[in-house]
Amino acid sequence: QVQLVESGGGVVQAGDSLSLSCVVSGAPMTNYALGWFRQAPGKERAYVALISWNGKATYYADSVKGRFTISRDNARGTVLLQMNKLQPDDTGAYYCGASAGGTGGKFDNWGKGTQVTVSS
């Protein structure tokens, strides 16, 4: 069973940058598409960015296009989310997810999340 552990959250001001990291273990990382998801207060968890097993395909929510970048290092077992020009609407708990069915499959493996708070 794949295990995911997020880190890197914090409290920042609007316009700042932050980098989130997710360590993947317990199973071959190349078996999984990976993604970052955000759950804002009072809202459902929604995808922010997805990356295919080999890193060649990436997808972004419209709200973060041009500001966030997802990347993965299969040799190191990590997936990163570089977040630039942060806005208050980016506030929420960020979760790393894994899908054995590709980026279009079900993300059913989750970390415990890391909190990002962006103040105006």
Side-chain angles (χ1 to χ4, degrees), residues 54-71:
N54 58 3
K56 291 187 176 182
T58 56
Y59 307 91
Y60 296 93
D62 287 344
S63 62
V64 306
K65 282 181 181 177
R67 299 189 298 121
F68 290 12
T69 303
I70 188 171
S71 61

PDB file of all heavy atoms in Angstrom, residues 54-71:
ATOM      1  N   ASN A  54       5.127   9.177 -15.354  1.00  0.00           N
ATOM      2  CA  ASN A  54       6.486   9.500 -15.832  1.00  0.00           C
ATOM      3  C   ASN A  54       6.754  10.998 -15.865  1.00  0.00           C
ATOM      4  O   ASN A  54       7.801  11.438 -16.340  1.00  0.00           O
ATOM      5  CB  ASN A  54       6.709   8.899 -17.219  1.00  0.00           C
ATOM      6  CG  ASN A  54       5.701   9.382 -18.235  1.00  0.00           C
ATOM      7  OD1 ASN A  54       4.847  10.223 -17.938  1.00  0.00           O
ATOM      8  ND2 ASN A  54       5.780   8.849 -19.450  1.00  0.00           N
ATOM      9  N   GLY A  55       5.796  11.781 -15.411  1.00  0.00           N
ATOM     10  CA  GLY A  55       5.995  13.223 -15.356  1.00  0.00           C
ATOM     11  C   GLY A  55       5.793  13.946 -16.666  1.00  0.00           C
ATOM     12  O   GLY A  55       5.944  15.166 -16.713  1.00  0.00           O
ATOM     13  N   LYS A  56       5.419  13.217 -17.711  1.00  0.00           N
ATOM     14  CA  LYS A  56       5.331  13.851 -19.028  1.00  0.00           C
ATOM     15  C   LYS A  56       4.012  14.583 -19.250  1.00  0.00           C
ATOM     16  O   LYS A  56       3.901  15.404 -20.164  1.00  0.00           O
ATOM     17  CB  LYS A  56       5.544  12.801 -20.116  1.00  0.00           C
ATOM     18  CG  LYS A  56       6.972  12.272 -20.162  1.00  0.00           C
ATOM     19  CD  LYS A  56       7.195  11.352 -21.350  1.00  0.00           C
ATOM     20  CE  LYS A  56       8.658  10.912 -21.421  1.00  0.00           C
ATOM     21  NZ  LYS A  56       8.920  10.045 -22.598  1.00  0.00           N
ATOM     22  N   ALA A  57       3.025  14.289 -18.463  1.00  0.00           N
ATOM     23  CA  ALA A  57       1.733  14.972 -18.595  1.00  0.00           C
ATOM     24  C   ALA A  57       1.371  15.613 -17.264  1.00  0.00           C
ATOM     25  O   ALA A  57       1.443  14.972 -16.214  1.00  0.00           O
ATOM     26  CB  ALA A  57       0.647  13.995 -19.022  1.00  0.00           C
ATOM     27  N   THR A  58       0.990  16.871 -17.329  1.00  0.00           N
ATOM     28  CA  THR A  58       0.548  17.591 -16.133  1.00  0.00           C
ATOM     29  C   THR A  58      -0.758  18.308 -16.428  1.00  0.00           C
ATOM     30  O   THR A  58      -1.022  18.703 -17.577  1.00  0.00           O
ATOM     31  CB  THR A  58       1.594  18.620 -15.669  1.00  0.00           C
ATOM     32  OG1 THR A  58       1.882  19.520 -16.740  1.00  0.00           O
ATOM     33  CG2 THR A  58       2.886  17.949 -15.235  1.00  0.00           C
ATOM     34  N   TYR A  59      -1.542  18.481 -15.397  1.00  0.00           N
ATOM     35  CA  TYR A  59      -2.838  19.136 -15.516  1.00  0.00           C
ATOM     36  C   TYR A  59      -3.025  20.056 -14.323  1.00  0.00           C
ATOM     37  O   TYR A  59      -2.616  19.723 -13.205  1.00  0.00           O
ATOM     38  CB  TYR A  59      -3.958  18.098 -15.557  1.00  0.00           C
ATOM     39  CG  TYR A  59      -3.769  17.043 -16.609  1.00  0.00           C
ATOM     40  CD1 TYR A  59      -3.112  15.853 -16.323  1.00  0.00           C
ATOM     41  CD2 TYR A  59      -4.232  17.243 -17.919  1.00  0.00           C
ATOM     42  CE1 TYR A  59      -2.906  14.892 -17.291  1.00  0.00           C
ATOM     43  CE2 TYR A  59      -4.036  16.277 -18.893  1.00  0.00           C
ATOM     44  CZ  TYR A  59      -3.373  15.117 -18.579  1.00  0.00           C
ATOM     45  OH  TYR A  59      -3.170  14.164 -19.551  1.00  0.00           O
ATOM     46  N   TYR A  60      -3.657  21.201 -14.574  1.00  0.00           N
ATOM     47  CA  TYR A  60      -3.836  22.188 -13.524  1.00  0.00           C
ATOM     48  C   TYR A  60      -5.276  22.699 -13.505  1.00  0.00           C
ATOM     49  O   TYR A  60      -5.898  22.884 -14.554  1.00  0.00           O
ATOM     50  CB  TYR A  60      -2.902  23.378 -13.736  1.00  0.00           C
ATOM     51  CG  TYR A  60      -1.436  23.016 -13.648  1.00  0.00           C
ATOM     52  CD1 TYR A  60      -0.716  22.675 -14.778  1.00  0.00           C
ATOM     53  CD2 TYR A  60      -0.784  23.009 -12.413  1.00  0.00           C
ATOM     54  CE1 TYR A  60       0.632  22.329 -14.703  1.00  0.00           C
ATOM     55  CE2 TYR A  60       0.557  22.670 -12.323  1.00  0.00           C
ATOM     56  CZ  TYR A  60       1.253  22.335 -13.468  1.00  0.00           C
ATOM     57  OH  TYR A  60       2.579  21.998 -13.377  1.00  0.00           O
ATOM     58  N   ALA A  61      -5.758  22.976 -12.306  1.00  0.00           N
ATOM     59  CA  ALA A  61      -7.022  23.672 -12.180  1.00  0.00           C
ATOM     60  C   ALA A  61      -6.867  25.079 -12.750  1.00  0.00           C
ATOM     61  O   ALA A  61      -5.796  25.676 -12.650  1.00  0.00           O
ATOM     62  CB  ALA A  61      -7.436  23.730 -10.717  1.00  0.00           C
ATOM     63  N   ASP A  62      -7.919  25.592 -13.330  1.00  0.00           N
ATOM     64  CA  ASP A  62      -7.841  26.918 -13.960  1.00  0.00           C
ATOM     65  C   ASP A  62      -7.356  27.981 -12.982  1.00  0.00           C
ATOM     66  O   ASP A  62      -6.640  28.909 -13.361  1.00  0.00           O
ATOM     67  CB  ASP A  62      -9.210  27.317 -14.514  1.00  0.00           C
ATOM     68  CG  ASP A  62      -9.584  26.532 -15.763  1.00  0.00           C
ATOM     69  OD1 ASP A  62      -8.689  25.913 -16.370  1.00  0.00           O
ATOM     70  OD2 ASP A  62     -10.786  26.540 -16.119  1.00  0.00           O
ATOM     71  N   SER A  63      -7.735  27.847 -11.732  1.00  0.00           N
ATOM     72  CA  SER A  63      -7.421  28.877 -10.742  1.00  0.00           C
ATOM     73  C   SER A  63      -5.934  28.978 -10.422  1.00  0.00           C
ATOM     74  O   SER A  63      -5.495  29.978  -9.853  1.00  0.00           O
ATOM     75  CB  SER A  63      -8.203  28.620  -9.453  1.00  0.00           C
ATOM     76  OG  SER A  63      -7.841  27.377  -8.895  1.00  0.00           O
ATOM     77  N   VAL A  64      -5.152  27.937 -10.784  1.00  0.00           N
ATOM     78  CA  VAL A  64      -3.727  27.957 -10.431  1.00  0.00           C
ATOM     79  C   VAL A  64      -2.817  27.938 -11.645  1.00  0.00           C
ATOM     80  O   VAL A  64      -1.583  28.009 -11.496  1.00  0.00           O
ATOM     81  CB  VAL A  64      -3.371  26.780  -9.489  1.00  0.00           C
ATOM     82  CG1 VAL A  64      -4.283  26.768  -8.268  1.00  0.00           C
ATOM     83  CG2 VAL A  64      -3.413  25.446 -10.218  1.00  0.00           C
ATOM     84  N   LYS A  65      -3.382  27.846 -12.833  1.00  0.00           N
ATOM     85  CA  LYS A  65      -2.557  27.813 -14.044  1.00  0.00           C
ATOM     86  C   LYS A  65      -1.666  29.047 -14.129  1.00  0.00           C
ATOM     87  O   LYS A  65      -2.114  30.163 -13.910  1.00  0.00           O
ATOM     88  CB  LYS A  65      -3.455  27.734 -15.283  1.00  0.00           C
ATOM     89  CG  LYS A  65      -4.008  26.360 -15.560  1.00  0.00           C
ATOM     90  CD  LYS A  65      -4.867  26.357 -16.822  1.00  0.00           C
ATOM     91  CE  LYS A  65      -5.448  24.974 -17.083  1.00  0.00           C
ATOM     92  NZ  LYS A  65      -6.353  24.965 -18.257  1.00  0.00           N
ATOM     93  N   GLY A  66      -0.410  28.812 -14.434  1.00  0.00           N
ATOM     94  CA  GLY A  66       0.546  29.907 -14.533  1.00  0.00           C
ATOM     95  C   GLY A  66       1.174  30.311 -13.217  1.00  0.00           C
ATOM     96  O   GLY A  66       2.134  31.091 -13.199  1.00  0.00           O
ATOM     97  N   ARG A  67       0.632  29.791 -12.099  1.00  0.00           N
ATOM     98  CA  ARG A  67       1.178  30.137 -10.775  1.00  0.00           C
ATOM     99  C   ARG A  67       1.787  28.933 -10.063  1.00  0.00           C
ATOM    100  O   ARG A  67       2.763  29.080  -9.332  1.00  0.00           O
ATOM    101  CB  ARG A  67       0.083  30.746  -9.897  1.00  0.00           C
ATOM    102  CG  ARG A  67      -0.523  32.015 -10.444  1.00  0.00           C
ATOM    103  CD  ARG A  67      -1.454  32.672  -9.412  1.00  0.00           C
ATOM    104  NE  ARG A  67      -2.581  31.829  -9.048  1.00  0.00           N
ATOM    105  CZ  ARG A  67      -2.840  31.424  -7.812  1.00  0.00           C
ATOM    106  NH1 ARG A  67      -2.049  31.771  -6.814  1.00  0.00           N
ATOM    107  NH2 ARG A  67      -3.904  30.668  -7.563  1.00  0.00           N
ATOM    108  N   PHE A  68       1.192  27.770 -10.271  1.00  0.00           N
ATOM    109  CA  PHE A  68       1.636  26.548  -9.591  1.00  0.00           C
ATOM    110  C   PHE A  68       2.304  25.617 -10.591  1.00  0.00           C
ATOM    111  O   PHE A  68       1.911  25.558 -11.770  1.00  0.00           O
ATOM    112  CB  PHE A  68       0.459  25.810  -8.966  1.00  0.00           C
ATOM    113  CG  PHE A  68      -0.173  26.491  -7.779  1.00  0.00           C
ATOM    114  CD1 PHE A  68       0.125  27.801  -7.438  1.00  0.00           C
ATOM    115  CD2 PHE A  68      -1.070  25.796  -6.977  1.00  0.00           C
ATOM    116  CE1 PHE A  68      -0.457  28.408  -6.345  1.00  0.00           C
ATOM    117  CE2 PHE A  68      -1.660  26.385  -5.876  1.00  0.00           C
ATOM    118  CZ  PHE A  68      -1.364  27.704  -5.574  1.00  0.00           C
ATOM    119  N   THR A  69       3.285  24.866 -10.112  1.00  0.00           N
ATOM    120  CA  THR A  69       3.966  23.868 -10.934  1.00  0.00           C
ATOM    121  C   THR A  69       4.118  22.576 -10.149  1.00  0.00           C
ATOM    122  O   THR A  69       4.649  22.591  -9.035  1.00  0.00           O
ATOM    123  CB  THR A  69       5.352  24.356 -11.372  1.00  0.00           C
ATOM    124  OG1 THR A  69       5.227  25.589 -12.086  1.00  0.00           O
ATOM    125  CG2 THR A  69       6.014  23.327 -12.279  1.00  0.00           C
ATOM    126  N   ILE A  70       3.656  21.481 -10.732  1.00  0.00           N
ATOM    127  CA  ILE A  70       3.816  20.163 -10.111  1.00  0.00           C
ATOM    128  C   ILE A  70       4.962  19.443 -10.800  1.00  0.00           C
ATOM    129  O   ILE A  70       5.144  19.554 -12.024  1.00  0.00           O
ATOM    130  CB  ILE A  70       2.506  19.341 -10.190  1.00  0.00           C
ATOM    131  CG1 ILE A  70       2.631  18.054  -9.372  1.00  0.00           C
ATOM    132  CG2 ILE A  70       2.120  19.053 -11.642  1.00  0.00           C
ATOM    133  CD1 ILE A  70       1.310  17.295  -9.225  1.00  0.00           C
ATOM    134  N   SER A  71       5.740  18.725 -10.009  1.00  0.00           N
ATOM    135  CA  SER A  71       6.842  17.937 -10.564  1.00  0.00           C
ATOM    136  C   SER A  71       7.049  16.702  -9.696  1.00  0.00           C
ATOM    137  O   SER A  71       6.577  16.665  -8.547  1.00  0.00           O
ATOM    138  CB  SER A  71       8.131  18.766 -10.630  1.00  0.00           C
ATOM    139  OG  SER A  71       8.533  19.180  -9.340  1.00  0.00           O
TER     140      SER A  71
END
